[in-house]
Amino acid sequence: MLDKTFDPKTAEPRLYAAWEASGGFAPTDDPAAEPFSIVIPPPNVTGSLHIGHALNNTLQDVLIRFERMRGKAALWLPGTDHAGIATQMVVERQLAEAGNHSRRDLGREDFVAKVWEWKAKSGGTIVNQLKRLGASCDWSRERFTLDEGLSAAVRKVFVTLHKQKLIYRDKRLVNWDPQFQTAISDLEVEPREVDGFYWHFAYPLEDGSGEIVVATTRPETMLADTAVAVHPDDERYKALVGRAVRLPIVNRPIPIIADEYPDPEKGSGAVKITPAHDFNDFMVGKRHNLPVINIFDDFARINDNAPVEYRGLDRFVARKKVVEAFEALGLLREIEKTRHTVPHGDRSGVVVEPYLTDQWYVAADVLAKPAIKAIEDGDTVFVPKNWEKTYFEWMRNIQPWCVSRQLWWGHRIPAWYGPDGKAFVEETEAEAMRQAEEHYGRPTPLRQDEDVLDTWFSSGLWPFSTLGWPEKTDDLARFYPTHTLITGFDIIFFWVARMMMQGIHFTGEVPFKRIFINALVRDAEGKKMSKSKGNVMDPLELVDDYGADALRFTLTAMSGQARDIKLSRQRIEGYRNFGTKLWNATRFCQMNGCARAEGFDPVDVKVPLNRWIVGETARTAQAVTAALAECGFGEATELLYRFIWNQFCDWYVEFAKPLLTGDDETAKAETQATTAWALDVILKLLHPVMPFITEELWAQTADLGAPRAEAGFLMTARFPELASELIDPTADAEIALLIAAITEGRSVRQELNVPASAQPALLVVETSADQRRILTENAPLVARLLRVSELSFVDAVPEGAIPYVVEGATLALPVAEFIDLAAERARLSKEVTSLAADIDRTAKKLGNADFVVRAPEEVVEENRERLAEAQAAKAKLESALARLGVAA
């Protein structure tokens, strides 16, 4: 007999250990099994499980468990990312906190050894946390982006692209993090709104005949100005185009040029052009062949290209000094307060600088073309489809991809330089030395490029490098292309696009057939979670409090809600109660002798109630299978919840009680066997979403009657495939009438505040002959569940009775002796009036375009929800008034 309650704290670790030890997470060896593979978006080795991970990995696990149970060779390949800058930052911080040397003091080799040491000690944290969530990855195939096999793939790709002239070295602007002294990707740049100033500076014309005023938020960069630009159609400046100003402080003449970049309506209409320190200015400089002067060093200090008195100053100290100099020269025209967006490094938190450096670039525009066509042709599909637009917008406007990083932790760029700076790009140092000897005519010492590759470069190879490429492995042949990628919308540009480009280029096939974009998890009020707001929900804490199954079901159920998920503890608690409901129903069935019968076939059941639950089970199995196959996670959980809680636990179990305790032994035995069969199917259907409680119930009910068709773990049992012939329309109609009669009768009682203790008769006014038979045969059941004294057949609805219609039959509840009808009408009318006023206020607010645009997104959404709730409540009250004969 089952214990009274399910204890996740003891059951989950025990069950997971048993699953893992069984080898059941590995794909079947059956060569006839259809391959189905997904690769995990590799979490950072520095990471710990956050709520976004919990959502993403739950959906992956639901899908892989579902396909595994469908008999496919299901592979969920796990791994972690070395996460160059993030991991290096962690170890550098540890060194600083311990009072040890900096990485530069240690030297590259010793520092990297320290990082590996840290990775060995702490790098598996998130893997163990994923296991607590129930992730059924094939851990025997776990990969790390710096594994030797994956490193070989990285070198192969880099060298191949270089030989194809798709990787090259160039001097361009990058996002530069002065704290880490490295280029960073756009993804690693965090725009922050800050209070600042526009300083309006006057630049005197070189001939002394006047001045031109420019405005800037970064005065220090004027030391590197090489032009002033005005719009060609700006009449104010047409006569000045082609002339020059003398750059203050630097005392260098710079030209006034005409370009479409300046906005005549903004500021003075004239802008300073600093090609080395602004992305827009860099493009203007290229169009006009302007000099490019870099005035920063790697730490964002002023270098030797500036006047001597500024050299070595921090950029912000230099800023203050420049402003003071303009004021002293009488050239500071205005200081205007502003609030503007300033890029910051998401890891370091310091202001990022556009910085001119020599870097390695990938010709992403060339690689993007086949990746665009693959989506256009439907070789890979986005779910939801609207994310294609985001993908296309990025890919069709893609810029050269800077892949070099000035870090020590990562894939070292396979390029070696000779004494004259010539680069030899090869997979090994030995091959580079051989090429150098051939070039120079003698053995020549080489030095390897100091930089490492962008983390996205190696993770972009993830779908095929993890399967053994460039070797022609069995896994690669069997599982590539992978089937489904589940990931967040925030890395469509940076990871999904890279994988599409590199996968197609190096394998000739798309890396996955389907890309499912999951939602963003917000708090219960719709606000983005952040430590500063104090609204972060720790998934491990939630697992401790409610169990992994409850969190998994909540996230899966809510994943269909557009772009955002509003997560609350109340919702998770509700789904924990759902698990408890199933546990209690199973326990009830055990106590009432429900057991599998030898040779039981659901097609042969005779009792209408059993024919009905068999049909509902078949209908649910078909719908859940169709939903999960299409990544309809929210739809699948809605179907499961409604079927298990409402149809099975509530209606079927309640309706079955008289049969299980009655004298008809044939009906009793059939009901016991049908119940056991339905429970087995329920456990299979629910397992992908709630694996722990279902596996425990599967084991605890193994000895109920005849042996199951599938021995062993539920995890590897066959997902139900039930035929439509099990659905019986006649039984459906019979049970539907009973459910509707009880449900609608309960609504009447609730809406009109009929006391729970009151037991009026249920009047049957008008029915078909068949409906009359059904209600007569089930009169005791209806009376018990609706809490009425009896069923009575009458010719008309008497005064003081409330009629209601179900399935074409007219029934009525005489309630006048239990409630004051006039007082009830007054109460309902008052509540309707109050709700109408609330609806009007909220609708006017939402109809105000200014409110919708300016109010925080979560406030607007809250008002929309309030409006919908009030409208639904008003409709319900109006229905109750209508029952009382009052027009709302």
Side-chain angles (χ1 to χ4, degrees):
M1 179 63 64
L2 284 174
D3 291 337
K4 286 188 176 181
T5 58
F6 173 63
D7 180 16
K9 280 187 169 63
T10 58
E12 288 174 1
R14 168 172 50 80
L15 289 169
Y16 195 92
W19 286 332
E20 193 171 6
S22 75
F25 294 162
T28 175
D29 292 332
D30 182 0
E34 177 188 345
F36 181 92
S37 57
I38 58 179
V39 291
I40 198 169
N44 290 352
V45 73
T46 59
S48 59
L49 194 71
H50 59 62
I51 202 68
H53 287 133
L55 168 65
N56 181 264
N57 287 283
T58 293
L59 297 183
Q60 290 177 81
D61 194 49
V62 169
L63 191 58
I64 208 71
R65 286 180 183 271
F66 166 66
E67 296 294 4
R68 184 186 291 128
M69 293 177 74
R70 289 217 287 172
K72 296 184 182 179
L75 169 63
W76 183 12
L77 199 152
T80 49
D81 194 308
H82 66 280
I85 194 167
T87 306
Q88 183 162 314
M89 179 184 73
V90 167
V91 178
E92 286 196 74
R93 186 184 297 139
Q94 289 176 346
L95 289 172
E97 288 172 355
N100 294 330
H101 298 295
S102 70
R103 67 180 170 104
R104 296 184 188 279
D105 293 330
L106 281 177
R108 184 170 195 141
E109 188 175 329
D110 287 346
F111 176 77
V112 170
K114 284 280 185 190
V115 183
W116 276 109
E117 185 181 303
W118 177 87
K119 190 265 179 187
K121 183 179 178 182
S122 307
T125 298
I126 197 167
V127 167
N128 294 324
Q129 292 171 336
L130 287 171
K131 291 180 179 182
R132 288 199 60 197
L133 195 65
S136 60
C137 302
D138 182 358
W139 299 108
S140 70
R141 286 175 164 88
E142 184 181 351
R143 298 290 182 265
F144 177 52
T145 48
L146 284 177
D147 285 347
E148 179 46 43
L150 275 66
S151 296
V154 168
R155 292 191 295 270
K156 176 81 171 176
V157 166
F158 188 94
V159 172
T160 302
L161 289 174
H162 183 263
K163 292 185 186 303
Q164 294 171 344
K165 302 190 184 311
L166 295 175
I167 277 185
Y168 57 91
R169 196 157 172 79
D170 194 11
K171 187 182 287 291
R172 297 173 60 94
L173 283 192
V174 295
N175 298 305
W176 186 262
D177 188 313
Q179 178 163 319
F180 293 123
Q181 299 95 55
T182 182
I184 61 175
S185 71
D186 291 342
L187 180 65
E188 295 161 321
V189 175
E190 179 184 321
R192 297 182 189 173
E193 276 210 350
V194 299
D195 291 320
F197 299 93
Y198 272 117
W199 284 274
H200 295 254
F201 293 155
Y203 286 9
L205 293 171
E206 189 178 22
D207 61 8
S209 62
E211 64 184 31
I212 192 167
V213 176
V214 298
T216 180
T217 58
R218 301 163 67 215
E220 67 280 7
T221 63
M222 60 79 50
L223 300 171
D225 285 356
T226 56
V228 172
V230 296
H231 195 279
D233 297 333
D234 194 331
E235 294 293 336
R236 295 171 294 175
Y237 300 116
K238 279 191 173 181
L240 296 179
V241 173
R243 296 174 64 183
V245 296
R246 183 153 293 276
L247 187 62
I249 302 175
V250 181
N251 198 29
R252 181 178 66 241
I254 58 174
I256 299 171
I257 60 173
D259 191 275
E260 292 190 351
Y261 167 59
D263 181 355
E265 303 299 322
K266 188 175 179 181
S268 67
V271 296
K272 58 189 284 300
I273 302 299
T274 319
H277 299 293
D278 183 277
F279 288 101
N280 291 315
D281 291 6
F282 181 76
M283 300 310 297
V284 174
K286 288 190 77 170
R287 288 194 291 271
H288 295 272
N289 198 29
L290 296 175
V292 181
I293 302 171
N294 175 22
I295 56 149
F296 289 145
D297 65 11
D298 291 354
F299 295 87
R301 297 174 303 209
I302 305 300
N303 66 20
D304 290 349
N305 289 329
V308 65
E309 62 269 28
Y310 291 88
R311 295 173 189 173
L313 295 181
D314 176 80
R315 54 186 162 161
F316 299 119
V317 175
R319 174 177 298 179
K320 184 179 179 183
K321 191 175 179 69
V322 165
V323 173
E324 289 171 350
F326 266 86
E327 190 170 18
L329 292 167
L331 299 175
L332 178 61
R333 293 291 174 261
E334 183 184 353
I335 301 177
E336 174 189 353
K337 285 186 177 180
T338 185
R339 186 160 181 81
H340 61 136
T341 300
V342 176
H344 288 70
D346 67 345
R347 301 285 181 184
S348 65
V350 303
V351 175
V352 169
E353 288 291 344
Y355 188 51
L356 188 68
T357 63
D358 289 308
Q359 303 283 349
W360 289 94
Y361 290 89
V362 172
D365 58 330
V366 177
L367 298 181
K369 289 182 175 65
I372 292 170
K373 188 174 187 298
I375 302 294
E376 290 174 337
D377 293 349
D379 299 332
T380 298
V381 297
F382 273 93
V383 180
K385 187 176 174 61
N386 61 284
W387 288 110
E388 285 183 5
K389 182 180 178 184
T390 302
Y391 176 85
F392 286 139
E393 283 177 356
W394 168 259
M395 294 291 271
R396 288 169 180 159
N397 296 284
I398 201 164
Q399 297 298 309
W401 173 18
C402 174
V403 294
S404 46
R405 297 290 181 268
Q406 290 64 56
L407 302 171
W408 287 354
W409 171 247
H411 293 281
R412 189 95 174 255
I413 288 177
W416 287 263
Y417 299 99
D420 57 356
K422 179 175 173 56
F424 299 89
V425 177
E426 300 294 343
E427 293 181 48
T428 66
E429 184 175 11
E431 181 57 24
M433 295 288 287
R434 193 187 68 77
Q435 292 288 344
E437 184 174 352
E438 186 176 306
H439 174 75
Y440 292 113
R442 63 185 183 282
T444 304
L446 303 178
R447 61 174 182 84
Q448 188 174 358
D449 197 304
E450 291 290 320
D451 291 351
V452 299
L453 284 162
D454 177 13
T455 297
W456 298 107
F457 189 90
S458 51
S459 60
L461 315 181
W462 190 249
F464 56 96
S465 65
T466 51
L467 294 170
W469 187 94
E471 302 298 324
K472 294 181 178 179
T473 64
D474 292 341
D475 273 0
L476 187 66
R478 190 181 191 196
F479 295 113
Y480 188 88
T482 66
H483 189 281
T484 301
L485 173 73
I486 298 180
T487 190
F489 61 83
D490 53 334
I491 54 173
I492 289 176
F493 311 140
F494 306 102
W495 189 47
V496 176
R498 312 298 194 215
M499 290 189 288
M500 287 292 289
M501 290 189 291
Q502 291 175 302
I504 294 170
H505 189 78
F506 285 98
T507 71
E509 297 183 85
V510 293
F512 18 75
K513 300 169 187 175
R514 176 174 62 186
I515 304 166
F516 179 83
I517 302 297
N518 60 244
L520 176 70
V521 187
R522 296 180 179 269
D523 72 7
E525 282 72 48
K527 296 176 182 175
K528 190 172 181 179
M529 294 187 191
S530 70
K531 290 179 181 178
S532 61
K533 292 178 183 173
N535 64 346
V536 171
M537 299 180 78
D538 181 347
L540 297 175
E541 186 180 311
L542 296 172
V543 168
D544 285 340
D545 292 345
Y546 303 106
D549 287 325
L551 177 60
R552 287 170 61 106
F553 199 99
T554 306
L555 293 170
T556 308
M558 301 179 76
S559 65
Q561 297 181 2
R563 185 164 169 157
D564 294 336
I565 290 175
K566 292 182 180 178
L567 187 63
S568 69
R569 281 182 168 268
Q570 290 81 0
R571 192 74 179 260
I572 302 168
E573 185 176 4
Y575 287 128
R576 180 190 61 187
N577 296 342
F578 169 66
T580 301
K581 181 92 169 177
L582 175 60
W583 184 271
N584 290 340
T586 306
R587 196 165 185 271
F588 168 84
C589 295
Q590 276 188 328
M591 294 168 65
N592 283 272
C594 298
R596 289 179 294 281
E598 198 74 49
F600 174 81
D601 189 339
V603 79
D604 295 330
V605 298
K606 300 291 189 292
V607 176
L609 175 64
N610 294 332
R611 293 205 312 274
W612 170 74
I613 198 62
V614 164
E616 288 301 309
T617 304
R619 187 179 283 116
T620 301
Q622 291 173 357
V624 169
T625 299
L628 288 179
E630 297 300 320
C631 289
F633 300 107
E635 180 186 352
T637 48
E638 183 181 345
L639 289 162
L640 288 166
Y641 187 92
R642 186 170 63 243
F643 171 62
I644 295 170
W645 186 297
N646 298 333
Q647 293 168 311
F648 182 80
C649 293
D650 280 351
W651 296 115
Y652 179 69
V653 169
E654 285 298 325
F655 282 10
K657 284 178 180 177
L659 295 171
L660 293 170
T661 57
D663 297 329
D664 187 336
E665 292 299 326
T666 301
K668 179 178 181 178
E670 182 188 282
T671 303
Q672 289 171 328
T674 302
T675 303
W677 171 84
L679 269 173
D680 277 357
V681 175
I682 283 170
L683 295 179
K684 293 175 185 176
L685 292 175
L686 185 59
H687 177 76
V689 186
M690 301 183 88
F692 291 107
I693 193 170
T694 53
E695 189 72 77
E696 184 74 350
L697 286 170
W698 182 259
Q700 294 282 350
T701 56
D703 60 351
L704 291 184
R708 290 193 180 101
E710 304 95 342
F713 287 112
L714 172 60
M715 178 181 71
T716 53
R718 191 75 182 187
F719 204 76
E721 296 177 11
L722 302 180
S724 296
E725 65 180 350
L726 294 176
I727 299 171
D728 182 350
T730 303
D732 286 354
E734 181 166 330
I735 304 304
L737 174 64
L738 297 175
I739 290 174
I742 296 165
T743 302
E744 193 66 11
R746 287 172 174 173
S747 293
V748 171
R749 297 183 64 125
Q750 183 182 15
E751 290 170 6
L752 301 182
N753 280 339
V754 176
S757 60
Q759 288 202 331
L762 175 62
L763 307 180
V764 182
V765 184
E766 185 177 344
T767 64
S768 67
D770 200 42
Q771 288 174 327
R772 188 183 184 93
R773 174 189 63 78
I774 294 167
L775 290 169
T776 302
E777 290 176 356
N778 292 280
L781 178 68
V782 174
R784 176 170 64 88
L785 295 178
L786 186 52
R787 296 198 306 278
V788 295
S789 59
E790 61 177 346
L791 267 69
S792 177
F793 294 85
V794 298
D795 294 328
V797 178
E799 186 177 350
I802 306 299
Y804 63 95
V805 178
V806 292
E807 307 293 320
T810 302
L811 310 177
L813 283 172
V815 297
E817 64 179 289
F818 303 107
I819 61 171
D820 184 335
L821 295 179
E824 194 61 25
R825 289 189 191 99
R827 179 185 72 82
L828 291 169
S829 296
K830 183 178 179 181
E831 289 188 24
V832 167
T833 301
S834 175
L835 283 168
D838 190 32
I839 288 168
D840 185 56
R841 281 193 303 273
T842 310
K844 282 181 179 176
K845 188 182 290 186
L846 289 169
N848 182 338
D850 191 55
F851 167 77
V852 174
V853 170
R854 292 181 180 274
E857 183 182 339
E858 59 267 20
V859 173
V860 175
E861 185 59 30
E862 182 185 335
N863 275 271
R864 288 182 179 135
E865 289 176 2
R866 183 187 301 159
L867 178 62
E869 288 169 3
Q871 289 170 332
K874 180 170 174 281
K876 190 174 181 181
L877 294 175
E878 287 172 342
S879 171
L881 278 171
R883 294 188 197 280
L884 291 170
V886 178

